[in-house]
Amino acid sequence: MIEKMVLDDNYRESYEEEVKYVCAMLGARSITFLKAAKEVGLKTLPYMKGFFICVPSKEPEKLVNDLHQDGVYVIATHSAIRIALCGINKSEASRLPKIIKKYGV
């Protein structure tokens, strides 16, 4: 695949366009999530870019279990929950902070 990207201009251009699209999609979701988080007063860990946004929590396992009641599935770390921007759409990114906030985070 690397050889094809180096030697085939069409393949490389197609790959580069796909990477731009995915980065823009994640960027839009992160902006939406962070704006909604700010509106409801939900703290997040610093976010620059990437696939995940983390929300600090004193009891992340409990929060994860509570969120299951609302059909929200996130990952617990030792001191936060991790939201996969790559696994939600823009609409979900908009409503998720309010759902998280209702559990007292």
Side-chain angles (χ1 to χ4, degrees):
M1 186 162 81
I2 302 286
E3 180 180 356
K4 190 171 185 176
M5 284 178 56
V6 171
L7 299 176
D8 185 334
D9 290 339
N10 291 329
Y11 186 82
R12 184 178 56 256
E13 289 171 10
S14 173
Y15 170 78
E16 288 171 354
E17 287 302 313
E18 185 175 348
V19 168
K20 286 178 190 175
Y21 170 78
V22 170
C23 289
M25 179 180 57
L26 290 173
R29 291 175 187 176
S30 67
I31 289 167
T32 299
F33 183 92
L34 293 170
K35 180 181 177 213
K38 186 175 183 178
E39 288 171 359
V40 298
L42 180 68
K43 290 186 178 186
T44 63
L45 296 180
Y47 175 82
M48 301 306 272
K49 59 169 77 172
F51 292 98
F52 305 103
I53 289 182
C54 292
V55 174
S57 172
K58 292 181 181 179
E59 297 180 283
E61 290 289 339
K62 180 182 181 317
L63 181 55
V64 165
N65 291 330
D66 290 344
L67 288 169
H68 287 175
Q69 295 173 32
D70 284 299
V72 174
Y73 300 94
V74 295
I75 302 296
T77 67
H78 68 285
S79 62
I81 60 168
R82 186 175 70 181
I83 296 109
L85 294 171
C86 55
I88 60 174
N89 61 38
K90 200 171 173 184
S91 173
E92 291 167 330
S94 176
R95 68 182 184 85
L96 193 52
K98 186 176 181 180
I99 295 169
I100 295 168
K101 185 67 176 178
K102 98 176 179 183
Y103 290 103
V105 176

